[in-house]
Amino acid sequence: LLAYLVHRLRTSRIQTIAAYRSDALHRRHPPIPFLAEAERWPTMERLDLARLDLAATAQLVEGILGRSPERAIVDRTWQRSDGNPFFVEELLATDEQAARPIGPTLRQVLDARLGGLSEPAQRVLGAAAVLGRRPEHALLEQLVGQPPDRLVATLRECVDARVLVPLEHPTDPLTSVIRDRSASTEYEFRHALVQEAAYDELLPAERARLHRRAASLLVELVDLTADVPMTIAGASAVHAERARDLPLALRA
């Protein structure tokens, strides 16, 4: 339809505008080859809109609330929304502090995104969400207990669905500590709220089990009676506390 309109209206004083979400299209999505061809048209102009930065998010929050917001609200909204204007609006529509769990409208959008994945991919994504915004491959492999080839194939599905993004140059200090012991890599959830949604999909017993396993894996890397990297100790304490293993959390 777009191709027909553009070619038929070429001599008319009519402008055709179309918008799409680039992070919602996988590499083999039908519009991709069309867009590649359309960029060659002389009348075509493409505009890439980046996510809102902190200053722009502050302006949007102020416009939605109708008043100058507190800095803490702006920071929390920006961190959870990743500068996505729709996410910003939905977070504030649920709670002006942007601190409550995800609202029903936004929940439906995120659930539809995750629901398109296979069951194995959803399980891996839940385990990855337990590890945080940037799960580390070696820890994830041990946490899910899948054969390496199967895990890579499952992660490929998550990457193709644009839910996870592989990081070529990880900057997480925890990853650098683990890399000293094994060649590894790191992933990032494309949106912070996707990680929240994947985490919320886990049953309480599942979360506790995964956190307990993650704490044990991290403790195996170090000797808690000696000097240990702060990132390892901190991550161990968080996982142990969420697993309600308070003695281990206190030691870490």
Side-chain angles (χ1 to χ4, degrees), residues 116-137:
L117 298 171
S118 65
E119 185 176 342
Q122 292 184 43
R123 287 200 300 270
V124 168
L125 210 60
V130 166
L131 294 179
R133 178 70 187 276
R134 295 180 177 84
E136 196 278 330
H137 185 94

Side-chain angles (χ1 to χ4, degrees), residues 155-200:
L155 287 170
R156 166 58 64 186
E157 179 183 348
C158 296
V159 170
D160 286 344
R162 304 184 72 79
V163 176
L164 289 179
V165 180
L167 300 182
E168 296 183 5
H169 305 289
T171 57
D172 192 331
L174 178 60
T175 303
S176 63
V177 172
I178 296 172
R179 190 183 295 111
D180 291 339
R181 294 163 173 79
S182 63
S184 189
T185 187
E186 186 180 328
Y187 303 91
E188 181 178 39
F189 280 88
R190 184 169 290 277
H191 293 293
L193 290 179
V194 172
Q195 188 244 334
E196 284 189 37
Y199 185 84
D200 290 344

